[in-house]
Amino acid sequence: MMQRYYTRACNFYYGNQSKILVNKKKSIPLHQIKEISFDHIEIITRKYRKKISINEIKNLKKTLNKKINLDIKKIKSKKKNFSNLNFNKIPNILGVLNITPDSFSDGGKFNTKKKGLKRAFDLLNCGADLIDVGGESTRPGSKAISENQEWNRIKKIINLLSKKVPLSLDTRKSNIMEKGIQLGIKLINDVSGLSYDSKTLKVLKKYKIPFIIQHSQGNPDNMQKKPKYKNELLDIYDFFEDKIKLLRSKGINHNNIILDPGIGFGKNLKHNMSLIRGISIFHSLGFPI
């Protein structure tokens, strides 16, 4: 089997320093944003990792040089804006509105209509670009709830907010996605990586709506019971690559997709820290993270 290579942009510069280096062609801009750029890459395989400067890429053997340059083309490609998110700036901010009694961070604090509405506008005033509404907790150890229960928690809030506030919808269920889209939802956020409900892909294709692909291992009720990876960074990269291939094969051809490595979803502390440290590897898939 041929050795598989992965490209991770690293050694980043920010602000004016980055702009100067980009203008001198000494660093490569991320997403064509001059204010954030890099001048090294890490070449990673399942057996080793090697860091080189962008000037050394030309010295690599022909096939590897071609692969690295294709990855860099994706890393520096300009991203199209969607769902009220502006990819000419970094970062975009997603405000989380849990209309649940049991979410891990704020369960029960905003799960009435009045409190939920106030919270949504507070999040916008604090700089959120998009508000992510969820009616089912997917914290470690949580149990799935019925579709009716989930929809009854969120329908009034979505109805009242969607005309005034850009909303994304955090759900694993295709019927709830469809109802939400019909009420004006701008983005679908499925923590199961589009795999919980087999009809999800049909809904995404039908409405051509932007969505987030999140990686998780197992379901919320069991995902923290000894999660295992051969190499969490590369395993999750491969997961995203396979998902994109599946989406294309089903006729979902747009690029209005965000990748989420799913920190804390079927990962222990070591996995999480490794993902945070190496997160720039996912830029070479060519989508916002």
Side-chain angles (χ1 to χ4, degrees):
M1 197 175 156
M2 234 175 78
Q3 181 148 247
R4 175 78 203 276
Y5 293 95
Y6 303 79
T7 310
R8 185 176 80 85
C10 54
N11 214 44
F12 280 89
Y13 299 91
Y14 304 92
N16 278 337
Q17 186 189 16
S18 174
K19 271 172 144 173
I20 292 163
L21 290 168
V22 169
N23 289 336
K24 289 181 176 175
K25 298 196 164 34
K26 289 187 174 178
S27 68
I28 297 172
L30 179 71
H31 303 177
Q32 296 299 310
I33 303 167
K34 285 188 174 183
E35 289 81 5
I36 177 166
S37 64
F38 61 97
D39 67 0
H40 278 67
I41 58 157
E42 192 175 29
I43 300 167
I44 304 173
T45 73
R46 294 267 169 184
K47 291 184 177 154
Y48 76 91
R49 35 205 315 165
K50 183 186 179 187
K51 197 172 175 181
I52 62 168
S53 81
I54 54 174
N55 301 323
E56 294 173 88
I57 296 169
K58 60 183 180 291
N59 305 328
L60 298 170
K61 60 185 183 189
K62 197 175 173 184
T63 49
L64 184 54
N65 178 303
K66 191 179 172 186
K67 155 79 177 145
I68 300 294
N69 278 308
L70 278 171
D71 285 347
I72 286 176
K73 193 177 172 186
K74 288 182 184 173
I75 295 166
K76 69 180 186 183
S77 67
K78 189 175 168 69
K79 304 297 179 272
K80 196 177 78 181
N81 298 337
F82 56 85
S83 306
N84 209 52
L85 300 171
N86 176 4
F87 299 110
N88 298 311
K89 68 170 185 124
I90 291 179
N92 282 272
I93 297 173
L94 186 74
V96 174
L97 179 59
N98 289 316
I99 312 297
T100 57
D102 56 343
S103 287
F104 82 97
S105 57
D106 58 0
K109 283 189 184 175
F110 309 110
N111 65 338
T112 65
K113 188 173 80 174
K114 191 177 172 186
K115 286 177 183 172
L117 289 171
K118 182 182 182 301
R119 178 64 169 172
F121 288 108
D122 286 348
L123 289 165
L124 275 184
N125 291 335
C126 288
D129 299 289
L130 193 64
I131 308 294
D132 192 49
V133 177
E136 178 186 54
S137 174
T138 47
R139 75 185 195 290
S142 63
K143 298 274 184 272
I145 61 169
S146 75
E147 203 174 281
N148 280 345
Q149 198 178 356
E150 185 177 344
W151 182 243
N152 286 335
R153 285 177 180 177
I154 59 175
K155 64 182 177 186
K156 282 182 186 164
I157 286 280
I158 292 174
N159 220 344
L160 288 162
L161 284 176
S162 61
K163 292 170 187 67
K164 303 167 193 159
V165 176
L167 297 180
S168 70
L169 177 57
D170 176 353
T171 185
R172 302 181 288 170
K173 303 182 179 90
S174 61
N175 280 343
I176 290 181
M177 290 175 193
E178 188 155 31
K179 287 176 183 174
I181 293 163
Q182 287 165 355
L183 287 181
I185 287 290
K186 301 275 189 289
L187 178 79
I188 294 295
N189 178 16
D190 177 353
V191 301
S192 80
L194 318 176
S195 60
Y196 180 83
D197 181 338
S198 60
K199 293 178 190 155
T200 291
L201 295 184
K202 285 180 189 161
V203 171
L204 297 179
K205 185 181 176 183
K206 179 180 174 183
Y207 292 95
K208 300 182 171 68
I209 189 157
F211 54 89
I212 298 171
I213 305 173
Q214 185 191 297
H215 175 274
S216 60
Q217 193 181 88
N219 289 314
D221 59 343
N222 64 16
M223 65 188 179
Q224 291 311 103
K225 290 174 185 169
K226 297 186 180 168
K228 274 196 186 111
Y229 298 86
K230 284 179 185 168
N231 177 317
E232 55 281 352
L233 203 58
L234 305 186
D235 291 358
I236 293 169
Y237 188 102
D238 291 350
F239 163 85
F240 285 136
E241 201 165 58
D242 291 344
K243 276 289 176 196
I244 297 298
K245 279 181 192 157
L246 173 67
L247 292 166
R248 299 311 188 216
S249 75
K250 299 289 184 191
I252 298 170
N253 297 315
H254 68 71
N255 284 336
N256 298 345
I257 297 168
I258 296 171
L259 305 179
D260 177 358
I263 306 294
F265 281 77
K267 286 104 182 161
N268 62 28
L269 179 62
K270 176 188 156 291
H271 300 144
N272 289 328
M273 298 315 288
S274 164
L275 282 169
I276 291 167
R277 177 190 167 274
I279 201 154
S280 59
I281 193 173
F282 301 115
H283 285 303
S284 64
L285 286 158
F287 299 92
I289 303 169

